[in-house]
Amino acid sequence: MTTREPGHQLVLVAHGTRNVDGNQVSRAVAVAAGERLGIPARAAFVELSEPLFSDVMVEVDVPVVVVPMLLSTGFHVQTDLPEAVAKASVPVTLGTPLGPDPLLAAAQVERLLEAGAQRGQRVVLVAAGSSDEAATCDQMGAVALLARAWGSPVELATLSGHGPRPADVVRPGDAVSPYLLSPGFFHDRTRREAGEGVVVADVIGPHPLVVDLVVERADQLMARSPVG
């Protein structure tokens, strides 16, 4: 553990879900990252769970670095988070979404292998999806990184917004890699829409590589923060 100068606080902000286990992913990563960094850390949510990120930004009284537990650019990253940060009375350094990143791709590979997928098997990365073109670019970046890490072709399917749906892409014998951090509505849909004869991996979840990535991003933000 590396102890930082007093005054830093880490906030991980996730979308939020009504699924209790889904929200626990962000909380677990926050605890692990905070221990690694030697600073206070907590999880907050854009909606559907407490504490709400907007409320946390009003309450904070020390400089904060914010790591979004989001996998791509979109409305929350471009609008909701900056608007909430603007309410803070202390310096806040806001980071970019976690994805795409090679560490996430490596975690996806481990989830695929845990689910019984075999190297060389065709993989479909299934993302929640977005109507934002920037999010689509991020998802294609994630596909490229996973293909490199997996060593075989990877196709993209989305559950909403732009992109083909799983039913249009997934074939019997494929493996599906959910590009999701938490269990909940979208992972349940992924399992349903993947069809028969398909290996569906678990969500990325609080994987140690996710903690590594959050620590890396927090380090970068603290180097830019007023107390860094």
Side-chain angles (χ1 to χ4, degrees):
M1 180 181 75
T2 301
T3 302
R4 303 290 170 185
E5 292 295 324
H8 285 109
Q9 182 180 142
L10 168 65
V11 175
L12 268 64
V13 56
H15 181 278
T17 172
R18 293 184 178 87
N19 182 295
V20 175
D21 292 337
N23 294 324
Q24 190 56 32
V25 169
S26 299
R27 295 189 178 105
V29 172
V31 169
E35 289 177 351
R36 288 263 301 276
L37 292 161
I39 61 173
R42 65 189 300 190
F45 305 93
V46 177
E47 59 186 11
L48 301 178
S49 185
E50 295 184 344
L52 292 175
F53 181 64
S54 57
D55 292 339
V56 170
M57 288 296 97
V58 171
E59 297 165 0
V60 290
D61 56 4
V62 297
V64 174
V65 292
V66 178
V67 176
M69 287 281 287
L70 301 167
L71 293 177
S72 59
T73 305
F75 183 79
H76 293 312
V77 171
Q78 295 172 333
T79 303
D80 287 337
L81 301 191
E83 287 182 354
V85 165
K87 299 177 182 178
S89 60
V90 296
V92 177
T93 308
L94 175 62
T96 56
L98 283 187
D101 192 276
L103 289 176
L104 294 175
Q108 287 178 270
V109 167
E110 291 196 19
R111 296 300 189 215
L112 283 164
L113 295 173
E114 290 168 359
Q118 302 294 315
R119 293 281 189 176
Q121 193 169 2
R122 181 178 180 266
V123 168
V124 177
L125 181 150
V126 176
S130 172
S131 58
D132 191 309
E133 293 291 350
T136 301
C137 290
D138 287 343
Q139 291 156 14
M140 292 306 300
V143 166
L145 289 171
L146 181 56
R148 187 178 308 157
W150 185 245
S152 298
V154 175
E155 301 294 333
L156 173 67
T158 63
L159 297 168
S160 64
H162 296 308
R165 300 296 179 253
D168 300 322
V169 181
V170 180
R171 304 191 299 247
D174 284 350
V176 167
S177 178
Y179 193 53
L180 304 166
L181 286 169
S182 304
F185 174 76
F186 283 119
H187 192 225
D188 292 342
R189 265 192 65 187
T190 299
R191 290 191 179 281
R192 288 197 306 270
E193 296 186 19
E196 298 295 328
V198 174
V199 174
V200 180
D202 200 358
V203 295
I204 299 169
H207 193 285
L209 291 172
V210 174
V211 177
D212 289 346
L213 180 55
V214 169
V215 168
E216 177 184 298
R217 296 291 178 84
D219 261 328
Q220 294 168 354
L221 294 174
M222 284 190 285
R224 293 162 33 202
S225 75
V227 290

